[in-house]
Amino acid sequence: MSDESGLGMGQGDGDDIYALREEPTSRPLPPSRPAPVSEDESAAKRDSPEERAARKEELERLAQEAARSAPPAWLYFRRTFSFPFQVSSLVCTVSMSLWALVALGLPVSTLFGPGPQTEERMAWTIIMVVSGQIVLLILWFLLGSSVALTILRDTSYGNDTVERWPGLSEGFGDAFFLIASVLISAGLGALVAKLGGPLSVPMASGLGLVLLFPIILLSMLETNSPINPFSLAVWQSVVASWRAWAMFYLVTLLGGAAMVAVFTIVARQFHLVGGCLVAGPLAALGWMIYFRLLGRLAWFCAGGTAEPNQPDEDEARQ
């Protein structure tokens, strides 16, 4: 009995058929081994120059992405701690140091310096000095805000020096970014402590300030809004470039600890007056170096892999 429909068992050649039988065709069966290829066919199958260039670009892109996970060793050490002493930065460094020196050192030297400390003298001195100090600190913060964001932006663009330093009037807008970042960072830390965290409110606020301030500030700058602390690109970089972020926190914490140690040693040797006189220049140097490091971090997370170019004249001065 023959199978007219093509289903079931075929008996013509003794082979079992478990599927629809296809009508005979003239198509050859696939060979059991590759057929020999002529030289003309082999040359035709070779990659064209465009295909080789595209594959090379893809390999370079993959290599860059692989390098993103491991930041280069020079990222936070090449012309970062020496940045305030570069020729193009010296005027700004000296100005901020002297301003901080007056704002921090003068009140202490006036209140605790030699001379009779009568109650009347102390009362008038406190009123005048504190009022002047508040004004000086506000002006220093406005100037420092514009300096900080100028350093951060120029460094994040891959520039190794700052060609144009801002003036005092340009710091009003930049100050909002820093103030908002500080308030949100410290506020989130305090909120965690209030909700039952293991740390006290002051400690949690300080920890939130250290950990969240750079993330929130970069987010605000990326969105160009001091009221928007969320940028998907910035928060994703914390995971994608976690090594660079971890190194940034380590370097900044060690640098801050070194400055505190210097202040403590000087204060013990020369009392509070000497410590505050040193605190002014230390504050200016730490301020500039911190935002230089943050700018390097932003540059790397944005895709930077090659070392920033340095003008020949600057290389000669190193």
Side-chain angles (χ1 to χ4, degrees):
M1 179 177 177
S2 63
D3 190 349
E4 299 292 342
S5 65
L7 291 171
M9 307 262 313
Q11 299 177 6
D13 53 4
D15 294 334
D16 294 341
I17 305 300
Y18 296 102
L20 291 173
R21 187 194 301 271
E22 295 181 353
E23 294 295 331
T25 63
S26 60
R27 291 176 298 179
L29 294 174
S32 58
R33 68 179 64 182
V37 181
S38 64
E39 293 184 1
D40 294 339
E41 292 177 348
S42 177
K45 292 182 178 180
R46 291 173 186 167
D47 293 338
S48 64
E50 294 78 7
E51 292 175 339
R52 288 197 298 269
R55 182 152 65 257
K56 182 179 179 181
E57 292 178 359
E58 178 67 14
L59 291 176
E60 291 178 352
R61 185 185 65 81
L62 294 175
Q64 290 180 358
E65 290 181 356
R68 291 277 299 279
S69 61
W74 52 261
L75 182 64
Y76 297 121
F77 302 99
R78 180 71 169 173
R79 292 189 291 269
T80 51
F81 290 92
S82 62
F83 171 74
F85 306 101
Q86 291 181 359
V87 175
S88 59
S89 305
L90 275 178
V91 174
C92 180
T93 302
V94 173
S95 300
M96 292 195 63
S97 298
L98 291 177
W99 206 319
L101 179 65
V102 173
L104 296 176
L106 183 60
V108 176
S109 61
T110 303
L111 294 175
F112 300 98
Q117 301 294 332
T118 62
E119 293 184 0
E120 184 178 357
R121 177 180 180 274
M122 284 293 296
W124 282 106
T125 301
I126 290 175
I127 294 174
M128 295 178 62
V129 169
V130 170
S131 301
Q133 186 181 25
I134 291 175
V135 173
L136 288 175
L137 289 177
I138 291 175
L139 294 176
W140 188 92
F141 181 74
L142 291 176
L143 176 63
S145 298
S146 57
V147 167
L149 295 194
T150 298
I151 295 173
L152 197 161
R153 291 190 181 103
D154 284 17
T155 305
S156 66
Y157 292 149
N159 299 327
D160 205 55
T161 59
V162 176
E163 298 298 334
R164 177 187 174 277
W165 290 98
L168 181 62
S169 60
E170 301 177 46
F172 290 95
D174 294 336
F176 286 109
F177 286 91
L178 295 181
I179 293 174
S181 301
V182 169
L183 293 178
I184 293 176
S185 303
L188 289 175
L191 180 62
V192 172
K194 285 290 187 180
L195 294 178
L199 300 177
S200 62
V201 173
M203 293 184 63
S205 299
L207 184 61
L209 186 62
V210 171
L211 296 179
L212 297 178
F213 173 79
I215 304 175
I216 292 177
L217 178 60
L218 291 182
S219 297
M220 291 180 176
L221 294 176
E222 202 275 333
T223 59
N224 196 28
S225 173
I227 60 174
N228 185 4
F230 182 80
S231 168
L232 184 60
V234 173
W235 286 90
Q236 283 180 339
S237 72
V238 178
V239 178
S241 304
W242 65 269
R243 295 182 183 180
W245 278 95
M247 189 182 298
F248 167 79
Y249 286 121
L250 178 62
V251 172
T252 52
L253 287 175
L254 291 178
M259 290 187 175
V260 171
V262 171
F263 170 79
T264 303
I265 293 173
V266 174
R268 287 182 177 180
Q269 293 293 328
F270 302 99
H271 307 291
L272 186 59
V273 175
C276 288
L277 293 178
V278 173
L282 284 178
L285 294 177
W287 186 267
M288 298 177 69
I289 292 173
Y290 179 86
F291 288 98
R292 174 72 159 179
L293 294 171
L294 186 57
R296 281 286 176 86
L297 173 63
W299 169 81
F300 178 77
C301 292
T305 54
E307 186 172 0
N309 294 325
Q310 175 76 353
D312 296 338
E313 57 183 5
D314 289 342
E315 287 286 354
R317 287 194 292 263
Q318 293 294 327

